[in-house]
Amino acid sequence: MVHSTLPDVEIPDVSVYDFLFGDLDEARLDTVAIIDGTTGAETTYRTLIAHIDLFAGALAARGIGVGDVVAVLCPNVPAFATVFHGILRAGATATTINSLYTPEEIGKQLTDAGARWLVTVSPLLPGASAAAAALGIPDEQVIVLDGAEGHPSLAQLLGEGNPAPDVSFDPATHLAVLPYSSGTTGLPKGVMLTHRNLVANVTQSRAVIGLAEGDRVLAVLPFFHIYGMTVLLNFALRQHAVLVTMPRFDLADFLRVVSVHRTTWVFIAPPIAVALAKHPLVDEYDLSSIKVVFSGAAPLDAALADHVAARLGCAVRQGYGMTETSPVTHVIPLERDDLDRSSIGVLLPSTEARVVDPETGVDHVPGADGEPSEPGELWIRGPQVMAGYLNKPEATADMLDADGWLHTGDIATVTGEGVFRIVDRLKELIKYKGYQVAPAVLEAVLLGHDAIADAAVIGVLDDDAQEVPKAFVVPQPGATLSEDDVIAHVAAHVAPHEKVRVVEFVEQIPKSSSGKILRKDLRARERAAQG
Ligand code: 4UW
C-alpha cells in the first residue's frame, strides 16, 4: 500500500456552496470570476453568487429541494455556473448530461437519475424536448436559459426575485451530483458524489496542482464531465482564478481566446495536445501567456508532451482520475519538473493506492533496485471516492470493496518515490478524445442490425496514438455488409464521439465459456497486427 507522501489535508464539513463562496471578502467579491470567451462578457463573484441564490430561490419556489434531481444539458457558458451551483444551493442534486447525446441517450439518463426537471439552451432544445416529451415532462419543467416559447428562461427565473431557501443536509452523505460513467463494464451508471466528495477533491487539489489566485484558466473541457466540473467549475473558482469559457473546441477559436484573454492555465485532453504540437495555425497566435498546459482524461505520450512544452515554452503537467473518484487522485505537481511527463505523478494528499495483481490479488511493490513495481490494477482509497452507483448495488460491489478500495480497472506501476504510471487498461471503457465510450452501448447497437450476427468493440490507436472505437463484426450468413454500412448504422444511433471508426469482419468473436467477450484476445490480436 502506498500512502500519499504529502501531509493529510483537513476536509471542511460544509456544502460545496459554502466551501466555494463562503469566505469571499468585499474586495474579492468585485473581482471577475468568469469571462464568456465568445462575447467577452464578465461576471464578478458578487453577481455570480447573487444569481446562484436567485436560481436556487426559483427552484425552491417550484418545490425543488433535497431529494430532487435536476438535469443540466448545457455547453460551457457562464450561466452553467449559476445553474449548477444554484441546484446544489437549493439542496437538489445535479445530473449533468453530455451535450452531444442523442434524445434517446438523454432520455435514458433522465429516467435512470429520476430527473423531472431539465435545464438547457435553445440550440440543444430539439433533443431535450424530444427526450422530455417521451417521458411526459411538461415544457414548464424544461428551463431554456436563453429563452424559448413556452419554457421558463434564466432571466425570468432570476427576475422572480425569490430568496435562496434555508436548506439543511449533511454534506458527508448528501448527493451533490450524479455524473454518468460506465465504470469497468456495461452501460453508463449514475455516480453518486456527495458534497464531501467534491469539497474533498478540491481541498486535495489545492495542495498540489499549483493554480493560484490571479491565474486565468481556459474552460473548454466540458463542465458536464467530472474533469471540467471539479477542476474548472469548482477548483479554479475556489482558487479565485478567472474562468474563461468556451462552448466547444475549435482550434482557431481556442487559440484566439487564449491570446485575447491571456489565459495562463490551459486544461486539456491529449487530442488537443496533438493539435498544439503539430498544427501550423498555432504559430499565428500569441500564446505567450500560457504558463501551464495540464492534460488528463486519457494517456499523454511523453514525446508529445515534450513537443508541446518546447513549442509553447510552458510547463506540461498530467493528472489522472475518474468520475468515480471525483475525479482527481494523481497529478504531477507544478514544482515537480523532475518527473517524467508521461507519468501521472504522485498521489493527492489523504489518498492511498495499491497496485494489485489481477490474477493473484497480490500487491506489487517497487523493486529494491529502484525499478518500478510490476504492473497491476490500481486501487484507490480516499475521501474523494464515490458513495456508489445509483440503484446498482451489484455494480457498486464489483468496483468498491468492503474495505473502501475502489478498483479502477486501470493497470499501473509505482516507483519507490511514489510516482505512478498508467500502462494499460483492464476494463472495457474506451476514451475517445477524453470522452467515455462504453463498448456495451455500441455492441447493443450493432446487434440491432439485421445483417450482424455478433459483434465486439474495443479501443485501438490511430496514427496520432489516440484511442478510437473499433468494431469486430460477424455478418449473418449470406448477408452483404460493408464497413461503411456498419459505421453508418452506428452513427445513426449514437452521439458523434461514440461512432465506430474502424471495422473488421471476423468469423467469430472470442468468448469465455460463460459467454463473456474476451477483449484481451481482441486487443492482443490488434497489437500483433500492428506489429
Ligand atoms: N492517463 C491514462 C491519464 C488518464 C487516464 C484518465 O471519464 P472518466 O471517468 O474520468 C476522467 C477524469 C479525468 C481527469 C481526472 C483528474 C485530472 O487531474 C485530470 O486532469 C487534470 C483529468 O476522464 O474516465 C476515467 C478513465 O480515463 C482514463 C483511465 O482509464 C480512467 O479510469 N484516464 N486520466 N492521465 N488514462
Side-chain angles (χ1 to χ4, degrees):
M1 202 255 285
V2 185
H3 192 284
S4 170
T5 54
L6 301 161
D8 282 353
V9 287
E10 195 180 321
I11 296 146
D13 188 25
V14 295
S15 69
V16 171
Y17 175 90
D18 286 341
F19 178 62
L20 294 189
F21 306 115
D23 76 339
L24 285 166
D25 54 32
E26 275 299 307
R28 280 223 180 90
L29 281 170
D30 287 318
T31 60
V32 174
I34 310 181
I35 299 175
D36 184 327
T38 310
T39 64
E42 298 183 346
T43 307
T44 62
Y45 279 93
R46 192 184 297 281
T47 302
L48 175 62
I49 293 167
H51 286 181
I52 291 170
D53 288 350
L54 286 167
F55 193 77
L59 293 181
R62 285 160 177 75
I64 301 169
V66 173
D68 293 308
V69 179
V70 179
V72 184
L73 175 76
C74 181
N76 285 14
V77 289
F80 195 114
T82 301
V83 167
F84 178 86
H85 288 299
I87 294 168
L88 272 57
R89 172 82 173 90
T93 301
T95 189
T96 50
I97 303 181
N98 189 327
S99 334
L100 300 171
Y101 267 5
T102 62
E104 200 187 339
E105 289 173 316
I106 297 168
K108 277 187 186 154
Q109 186 168 331
L110 292 173
T111 306
D112 191 76
R116 299 292 299 171
W117 288 80
L118 174 60
V119 183
T120 192
V121 290
S122 58
L124 301 181
L125 186 56
S129 283
L135 298 174
I137 296 176
D139 286 357
E140 310 84 72
Q141 292 178 204
V142 179
I143 297 162
V144 180
L145 295 177
D146 50 336
E149 187 65 37
H151 296 273
S153 71
L154 182 64
Q156 261 169 336
L157 296 183
L158 301 185
E160 289 172 357
N162 287 302
D166 269 331
V167 282
S168 85
F169 53 76
D170 178 1
T173 54
H174 186 56
L175 294 189
V177 293
L178 274 173
Y180 272 65
S181 165
S182 64
T184 52
T185 183
L187 303 175
K189 296 172 270 295
V191 178
M192 299 192 289
L193 299 179
T194 62
H195 280 257
R196 182 180 171 81
N197 285 145
L198 299 187
V199 169
N201 207 223
V202 171
T203 304
Q204 294 169 305
S205 298
R206 298 185 77 198
V208 276
I209 293 186
L211 174 87
E213 180 160 12
D215 275 314
R216 294 161 81 90
V217 181
L218 189 69
V220 65
L221 294 180
F223 295 145
F224 69 74
H225 181 248
I226 194 70
Y227 180 1
M229 189 190 295
T230 289
V231 178
L232 301 171
L233 208 47
N234 292 345
F235 167 65
L237 287 179
R238 182 63 185 85
Q239 297 304 78
H240 307 131
V242 180
L243 279 182
V244 183
T245 60
M246 283 189 68
R248 71 191 66 81
F249 178 75
D250 165 84
L251 184 61
D253 257 358
F254 172 97
L255 299 169
R256 180 190 63 78
V257 171
V258 169
S259 63
V260 169
H261 295 288
R262 309 287 304 153
T263 56
T264 55
W265 280 65
V266 177
F267 288 94
I268 61 162
I272 301 184
V274 174
L276 291 176
K278 292 188 174 174
H279 204 287
L281 255 189
V282 172
D283 293 327
E284 293 177 22
Y285 291 83
D286 175 5
L287 306 179
S288 59
S289 60
I290 300 181
K291 292 194 299 194
V292 187
V293 169
F294 205 98
S295 175
L300 181 69
D301 177 72
L304 179 61
D306 289 345
H307 210 127
V308 171
R311 191 171 190 197
L312 302 186
C314 67
V316 174
R317 295 290 180 267
Q318 187 170 194
Y320 162 90
M322 56 203 302
T323 311
E324 290 81 351
T325 57
S326 301
V328 197
T329 64
H330 294 74
V331 297
I332 303 181
L334 185 56
E335 70 274 12
R336 293 298 300 272
D337 219 17
D338 56 310
L339 295 186
D340 181 342
R341 295 189 182 100
S342 68
S343 80
I344 55 166
V346 298
L347 280 169
L348 258 58
S350 304
T351 305
E352 300 168 306
R354 290 166 62 183
V355 172
V356 181
D357 189 309
E359 307 284 322
T360 63
V362 170
D363 281 73
H364 288 312
V365 293
D369 49 2
E371 286 293 303
S373 71
E374 292 290 315
E377 186 182 12
L378 178 63
W379 292 11
I380 300 287
R381 189 160 68 179
Q384 69 272 57
V385 170
M386 67 169 178
Y389 290 119
L390 180 70
N391 301 328
K392 301 262 186 315
E394 275 180 30
T396 303
D398 278 349
M399 196 178 215
L400 195 54
D401 69 26
D403 297 321
W405 289 103
L406 181 108
H407 302 199
T408 66
D410 289 309
I411 301 288
T413 62
V414 58
T415 69
E417 276 76 50
V419 178
F420 289 75
R421 177 183 303 276
I422 303 293
V423 295
D424 201 357
R425 207 182 281 145
L426 196 60
K427 57 187 167 190
E428 295 173 2
L429 176 69
I430 299 169
K431 280 318 214 35
Y432 177 72
K433 298 197 168 170
Y435 288 110
Q436 287 205 4
V437 179
V441 169
L442 303 186
E443 286 156 3
V445 170
L446 288 164
L447 291 176
H449 193 294
D450 288 344
I452 295 179
D454 204 358
V457 177
I458 63 166
V460 298
L461 297 183
D462 69 9
D463 293 345
D464 286 321
Q466 303 300 312
E467 201 174 13
V468 297
K470 169 171 178 174
F472 292 85
V473 171
V474 183
Q476 292 285 10
T480 47
L481 187 68
S482 71
E483 289 176 25
D484 287 346
D485 294 338
V486 174
I487 289 173
H489 170 73
V490 176
H493 289 90
V494 299
H497 66 286
E498 296 172 297
K499 280 190 220 171
V500 159
R501 285 162 205 272
V502 188
V503 177
E504 183 179 334
F505 292 108
V506 292
E507 282 177 8
Q508 211 180 4
I509 300 296
K511 299 224 173 118
S512 69
S513 50
S514 61
K516 270 184 90 176
I517 296 170
L518 291 172
R519 292 170 207 284
K520 217 162 35 91
D521 292 8
L522 290 171
R523 288 206 197 103
R525 180 177 157 153
E526 196 60 33
R527 277 184 202 141
Q530 285 177 345

